[in-house]
Amino acid sequence: MSKWPIPHGMQAALDAARAAEAAGEVPIGAAVMQGDALIASAGNATRTPPDPTGHAEIRALRSAAEKLGQDRLADCDLYVTLEPCAMCAGAISHARIARLYYGASDPKGGAVEHGARIFEHPQCLHKPEVYSGMGESEAAEMLRAFFRGRR
Amino acid sequence: MSKWPIPHGMQAALDAARAAEAAGEVPIGAAVMQGDALIASAGNATRTPPDPTGHAEIRALRSAAEKLGQDRLADCDLYVTLEPCAMCAGAISHARIARLYYGASDPKGGAVEHGARIFEHPQCLHKPEVYSGMGESEAAEMLRAFFRGRR
């Protein structure tokens, strides 16, 4: 059960995670919002076609940039169901995303509040506002069930 | 002048950097080699089409994965003209690249020997062998000339 209503952006990210799972991919989803408007959403897709960079965040950012016709998304927010890894945190910074909202923490692979802590170095040219825990229980349960099913 | 002959992979990366510059992009290039075979090369392309993730490394890795039909490139090496940023270092790790060769160091944006030092955290699941300095003078001079021209 969520502690508060989950906003549109995180709902779209959770929906994209479910769609990824249905397609045989890891259930992680992301959505780019510009104010109240959903610009793009995407789930993980590293297997079909094979793409080691096919994380939900990368795919949502690329799609949003293409739709808006600009490589900087400074007036956009990114919602993602899991703490971004180093690759995705770097991409979020390059895209100049204003606010990053993520669901579950990822001590094993996350690079926002864990490990490389991408936004905490002087080499990081843009640091978004970061909010975590939104939609956490849904996001984490989806991943737990997925990896349980694979064992 | 180079101190030693520049191998095929780095020559391909330097060629891709020159092509990127000719296309109005930042002159950085990358190439994926499988043994002696060039699998893919790419230059930076963040402007046309707009893509905040369009760094040379990301584009070369995606292209190689698609051509080889696998998202893990464990028997491949990556050559890049500049020290990878956090996003690209993360992607190199996800792709399981065996050896990373890069030309110029990048104290401002690099994340291999600077800043986030992506490969040095327990959250990094795969660390390539890393070699730097190959083709450095050519790579660095191309970037210096590019940014001089923009001032």
Side-chain angles (χ1 to χ4, degrees):
Chain A
M1 191 201 297
S2 288
K3 283 171 279 189
W4 54 79
I6 295 177
H8 184 191
M10 189 56 80
Q11 283 292 3
L14 287 163
D15 289 346
R18 281 180 208 107
E21 180 165 29
E25 302 275 356
V26 180
I28 301 170
V32 175
M33 301 285 293
Q34 189 179 44
D36 294 333
L38 175 65
I39 304 300
S41 69
N44 259 44
T46 63
R47 291 167 189 170
T48 313
D51 180 0
T53 75
H55 284 194
E57 300 95 311
I58 299 282
R59 299 183 70 234
L61 290 171
R62 297 184 76 215
S63 174
E66 193 180 338
K67 283 182 190 168
L68 295 175
Q70 56 196 53
D71 66 331
R72 296 193 174 182
L73 308 171
D75 57 350
C76 292
D77 303 324
L78 183 78
Y79 293 77
V80 54
T81 58
L82 188 69
E83 180 185 350
C85 71
M87 173 180 75
C88 293
I92 288 163
S93 184
H94 289 313
R96 308 294 197 272
I97 286 289
R99 295 176 204 88
L100 164 64
Y101 299 90
Y102 63 86
S105 282
D106 183 7
K108 284 191 188 169
V112 176
E113 55 178 305
H114 297 98
R117 291 180 170 79
I118 297 300
F119 303 131
E120 307 307 322
H121 301 274
Q123 283 84 353
C124 178
L125 290 176
H126 169 78
K127 177 183 175 163
E129 292 177 32
V130 178
Y131 304 91
S132 63
M134 180 195 289
E136 183 176 9
S137 52
E138 290 85 340
E141 180 48 34
M142 223 184 299
L143 278 164
R144 269 193 298 269
F146 177 79
F147 286 109
R148 255 198 316 265
R150 311 217 126 208
R151 271 193 213 112
Chain B
M1 193 198 299
S2 288
K3 282 170 281 189
W4 55 78
I6 295 177
H8 184 191
M10 189 58 80
Q11 283 293 2
L14 287 163
D15 289 346
R18 281 180 207 107
E21 180 165 28
E25 302 275 355
V26 181
I28 301 170
V32 175
M33 299 285 293
Q34 190 179 42
D36 293 333
L38 174 66
I39 305 299
S41 69
N44 260 42
T46 63
R47 292 167 189 169
T48 312
D51 180 0
T53 75
H55 285 194
E57 299 95 310
I58 299 281
R59 299 183 69 235
L61 290 171
R62 298 184 76 216
S63 174
E66 194 181 338
K67 282 181 190 167
L68 295 175
Q70 55 195 56
D71 65 333
R72 296 194 175 182
L73 309 172
D75 57 351
C76 293
D77 303 325
L78 183 78
Y79 293 78
V80 53
T81 58
L82 188 69
E83 180 185 349
C85 73
M87 173 180 75
C88 293
I92 288 163
S93 184
H94 289 313
R96 307 294 197 270
I97 286 289
R99 295 177 204 87
L100 164 64
Y101 299 89
Y102 63 84
S105 281
D106 184 7
K108 283 191 187 170
V112 175
E113 55 178 305
H114 297 98
R117 292 180 169 77
I118 297 302
F119 303 131
E120 307 305 323
H121 301 274
Q123 283 83 355
C124 177
L125 291 176
H126 169 78
K127 176 182 176 163
E129 291 177 33
V130 178
Y131 304 91
S132 64
M134 179 194 291
E136 183 175 9
S137 53
E138 290 84 339
E141 179 48 35
M142 223 186 298
L143 279 163
R144 269 193 298 269
F146 177 79
F147 286 111
R148 253 197 319 264
R150 310 216 127 211
R151 273 194 212 111

